[in-house]
Amino acid sequence: MCDDGEKRDLANIAMLACTFGCDALYEHGYIAVASHGEIQVSPLAKDLPAVAQHIEKWLASRKVTWWNEHREKYYQWHRTHTFKNSPPA
């Protein structure tokens, strides 16, 4: 969904994440990076017990060291467009 300029902002647009869990959970909206880097957990994760258990064990209460003010606009976009903050209407 990025424009050409954003796609070229490699220092800020990309985040290294393991594909074993973190990346998939992020891309599917079950976790997000909140302001200042805290992991934000979707309330819908509880509906998937294995997902909720993985998040609780490995990710809850953690902080993303990759967060900074230059990257926040991308994390904010994800929170608005991808993160499952509430049940579908």
Side-chain angles (χ1 to χ4, degrees):
M1 300 302 294
C2 295
D3 64 31
D4 285 339
E6 291 168 334
K7 288 176 185 175
R8 290 183 178 92
D9 189 11
L10 294 179
N12 295 307
I13 190 69
M15 176 178 68
L16 297 175
C18 64
T19 57
F20 183 63
C22 302
D23 186 60
L25 292 169
Y26 184 81
E27 293 299 330
H28 290 285
Y30 290 106
I31 61 171
V33 178
S35 183
H36 303 293
E38 298 87 5
I39 298 279
Q40 185 175 357
V41 180
S42 167
L44 300 183
K46 70 178 177 3
D47 295 337
L48 302 167
V51 169
Q53 183 179 17
H54 181 82
I55 291 171
E56 182 62 33
K57 182 175 182 180
W58 299 106
L59 302 172
S61 305
R62 291 192 147 194
K63 195 166 184 176
V64 174
T65 58
W66 192 249
W67 183 93
N68 68 35
E69 63 186 34
H70 303 289
R71 296 176 182 128
E72 172 55 23
K73 68 179 181 178
Y74 300 113
Y75 291 126
Q76 201 285 323
W77 186 95
H78 176 269
R79 289 191 304 267
T80 303
H81 294 89
T82 305
F83 183 61
K84 297 175 183 202
N85 199 25
S86 60

